Amino acid sequence: MSTPIDVPAPTEAPVDAPAATEATAPADAPASATDVMVEIRSVHKSFGALEVLRGIDLSVRAGEVTVVLGPSGSGKSTLLRTINHLEKVDQGWISVDGTLVGYRRSGNKLYELREREVLRQRTRIGFVFQNFNLFPHLTVLENIIEAPVAALGRPRKEAVAAAEALLARVGLADKSGAYPKQLSGGQQQRVAIARALALEPKLLLFDEPTSALDPELVGEVLDVIKDLAHQGTTMIVVTHEIGFAREVADTVVFMDQGRIVEQGPPADVLDRPVQERTRAFLSKVL
Amino acid sequence: MSAQTDTPPPQLPAPPVDDAHDSVPRIVPVRRTGRWAAAVAVLVLLAGALVSVIRNDAFQWGVVGDHLTTASVLRGLGLTLWLTGLVMVLGFALGTLLAVMRLSGNPILQAVAWGYVWLFRSTPILVQLLFWFNIGALYPQILGVDTVNLLGPVAVAVIGLTLHEAAYAAEVVRGGILSVEHGQLEAAQSLGLGPWRRLRRIVLPQAMRSIVPPAGNMLIGTLKGTSIVSIIAVQDLLYSVQLVYHRTYEVIPLLLVATLWYVAVTSLLSVGQHYVERHYARGTADAR
């Protein structure tokens, strides 16, 4: 449970695209050498009397795309938010890239980290929100360079160059001077993805990235996410887009009432679900 | 009822448009007779008031003109202006601190900030000023110096007005901070931005949109409110004209001198507020 001394097996030379190798292959477990990027162990979380996570265990391998499905209130967004410590867990632990999130372990105790340390951890975990949460008073470019400059201390010039490259990558090279409100929802979400990528995170978390979009704008955002998936970015995506899950996911996780009901390759979970609850859900959304 | 340019028929409601002509029927707005009558009545009353003001020699407009730009009046105006500016800056600095305390996770800081606002909003500013003016009765000496020498009337005015201003500013700033969507804070946190950076770069600039209008109100209120320091013999704009009319008994024209200056400065501030609001509206639909 320490620094990444483990062999950085699937990492490629380009800094912003870690683990570009086995992810594109069909998700038959590619032997034992695969790094675990995210490990979630017996995580519980309550809001008052309501227990929203009731013992979650999940492993996500580096370079893989995990899609979390489930009815609203199933705890999938909360689970995602615990992974970058936006929500604190009540029990259990989560590690990302071999480091505990939000805590330091000493003996059999988990000590909560100071905010500064948590903030440093978060710079390695990108988070994309349902409502984009772009900073409306800053231009697109300023939105993207804010964190690299302020949190990582990058020189501004360097951050601007990187931001422009990212904008080109999400197809918005000409929008760097625009304010978020001048963009469509789909464009805003693509900027939000670029903003998350600007920190060169090891892991990207998407919380229903297309749920706030007009139907005709969903495709352009999913295309960007697919593109990232093909480049081997490790991602956990909470979504209602079954088609996207089928096409992109290495693993589909179905949650209900704070538990993981079923998980596996999309061909299994989506087409031959074992659990009655999964079948009932899919019959309603498909 | 066709599209011809005949005079609008003042007749009864027309029957449903006759489809005989297939041209689009012209829309005739309703006549607002009452509106015209009210406007004329108000203008007549206003003209009457204006004429009486101009023709009433007791206003002594000549005297007003003589004193409008005398050195002592301008000195008073200057003091009013810098006192207003200083009180606003110090008041909002302290008020922002109080607002952040109130919104912090620390229950003691929350309670202290709440108590401050409660205390300073619960007493009239006049009473507070008189209290600070007489602070020497409670603490004759501060750090070995006579309080009376340490705190002259101007210092008392600055302290008294600032502490009062801060209580109101705290609520204005707190309201502004609360108006910023929670998702903004979460986005900033998930990008690894520290608390100070989040406040200064993300929250406060967005809070300014809701802070500026009430702050503009407060600025104008403070400008006029500083006239209260005339009771502790601080030579602000009001006190300066009072000094003159106590000598010359030209009470009305000298009050008019002060009034004209207050109106002029307030008008300038209103214009300034418009531009400040426009600045902080950038990136929103209202930005022009």
Side-chain angles (χ1 to χ4, degrees), chain A residues 69-76 240 242 252-263 268-270 272-286:
Chain A
L69 300 174
S72 29
S74 59
K76 51 194 195 312
H240 293 293
I242 307 288
V252 172
V253 173
F254 176 70
M255 282 183 71
D256 189 32
Q257 300 188 351
R259 291 197 177 86
I260 292 179
V261 176
E262 190 163 357
Q263 61 173 303
D268 291 349
V269 176
L270 297 177
R272 296 183 293 278
V274 180
Q275 301 293 329
E276 182 50 42
R277 186 68 194 87
T278 316
R279 246 175 265 151
F281 174 77
L282 289 172
S283 73
K284 277 180 204 139
V285 296
L286 282 177

Side-chain angles (χ1 to χ4, degrees), chain A residues 210-285:
Chain A
T210 58
S211 297
L213 297 178
D214 291 338
E216 79 269 22
L217 302 177
V218 168
E220 62 186 66
V221 171
L222 291 183
D223 285 345
V224 169
I225 303 176
K226 280 178 206 166
D227 186 46
L228 291 170
H230 293 320
Q231 292 172 39
T233 313
T234 314
M235 299 192 282
I236 302 177
V237 185
V238 169
T239 187
H240 293 293
E241 299 286 335
I242 307 288
F244 171 81
R246 195 187 302 281
E247 189 181 341
V248 179
D250 296 294
T251 305
V252 172
V253 173
F254 176 70
M255 282 183 71
D256 189 32
Q257 300 188 351
R259 291 197 177 86
I260 292 179
V261 176
E262 190 163 357
Q263 61 173 303
D268 291 349
V269 176
L270 297 177
D271 298 330
R272 296 183 293 278
V274 180
Q275 301 293 329
E276 182 50 42
R277 186 68 194 87
T278 316
R279 246 175 265 151
F281 174 77
L282 289 172
S283 73
K284 277 180 204 139
V285 296

Side-chain angles (χ1 to χ4, degrees), chain A residues 81 84 86 115 119 122-123 125 127 129 133-138 142-143 146-147 150-151 179 181 195-196 199, chain B residues 181-195 197-198 201-203 205-206 280 282-285:
Chain A
R81 291 160 59 85
N84 78 341
L86 276 180
E115 190 187 1
L119 288 171
R122 288 206 185 108
T123 61
I125 305 171
F127 200 102
F129 295 86
N133 288 341
L134 292 177
F135 305 130
H137 60 301
L138 303 180
E142 289 168 335
N143 262 278
E146 175 66 18
Y179 285 100
K181 288 281 152 61
R195 182 175 72 173
L199 289 166
Chain B
E181 223 188 306
H182 188 61
Q184 292 288 311
L185 213 56
E186 289 195 335
Q189 284 172 332
S190 65
L191 288 169
L193 301 181
R197 182 82 182 181
R198 292 199 296 264
R201 178 77 168 155
I202 306 299
V203 175
Q206 295 187 61
Y280 284 108
R282 72 191 190 280
T284 68

Side-chain angles (χ1 to χ4, degrees), chain B residues 49-128:
Chain B
L50 208 60
V51 167
S52 90
V53 168
I54 294 168
R55 293 178 65 180
N56 185 343
D57 293 334
F59 281 102
Q60 303 182 64
W61 289 106
V63 179
V64 172
D66 291 344
H67 286 90
L68 199 56
T69 54
T70 57
S72 69
V73 167
L74 290 182
R75 257 200 313 277
L77 174 67
L79 187 136
T80 290
L81 289 179
W82 74 250
L83 185 60
T84 304
L86 189 62
V87 164
M88 276 302 277
V89 170
L90 294 178
F92 264 81
L94 182 56
T96 305
L97 179 70
L98 287 164
V100 172
M101 283 167 66
R102 180 84 186 275
L103 294 169
S104 76
N106 186 328
I108 299 296
L109 295 189
Q110 280 175 25
V112 168
W114 181 88
Y116 180 96
V117 173
W118 167 76
L119 183 66
F120 281 87
R121 286 202 312 189
S122 307
T123 43
I125 176 65
L126 180 55
V127 174
Q128 288 179 33

Side-chain angles (χ1 to χ4, degrees), chain B residues 200-232:
Chain B
R200 204 177 49 89
R201 178 77 168 155
I202 306 299
V203 175
L204 282 183
Q206 295 187 61
M208 286 306 279
R209 286 204 66 208
S210 347
I211 290 174
V212 169
N217 241 351
M218 280 180 66
L219 175 57
I220 286 167
T222 305
L223 175 81
K224 295 178 296 177
T226 53
S227 59
I228 204 167
V229 302
S230 59
I231 61 134
I232 54 171

Side-chain angles (χ1 to χ4, degrees), chain B residues 1-3 13-27:
Chain B
M1 281 291 118
S2 69
V17 182
D18 56 332
D19 291 11
H21 313 272
D22 56 355
S23 58
V24 181
R26 194 160 61 101
I27 292 170

Side-chain angles (χ1 to χ4, degrees), chain B residues 135-192:
Chain B
I135 192 77
L138 283 174
Y139 298 98
Q141 288 202 327
I142 297 173
L143 302 171
V145 185
D146 283 345
T147 310
V148 186
N149 297 333
L150 199 62
L151 296 178
V154 174
V156 164
V158 170
I159 291 171
L161 291 174
T162 295
L163 295 181
H164 181 256
E165 187 92 354
Y168 286 89
E171 289 297 276
V172 167
V173 173
R174 187 169 71 96
I177 290 176
L178 288 176
S179 77
V180 178
E181 223 188 306
H182 188 61
Q184 292 288 311
L185 213 56
E186 289 195 335
Q189 284 172 332
S190 65
L191 288 169

Side-chain angles (χ1 to χ4, degrees), chain B residues 223-245:
Chain B
L223 175 81
K224 295 178 296 177
T226 53
S227 59
I228 204 167
V229 302
S230 59
I231 61 134
I232 54 171
V234 174
Q235 292 198 29
D236 73 324
L237 179 57
L238 179 60
Y239 195 75
S240 306
V241 302
Q242 284 176 329
L243 284 180
V244 178
Y245 71 60

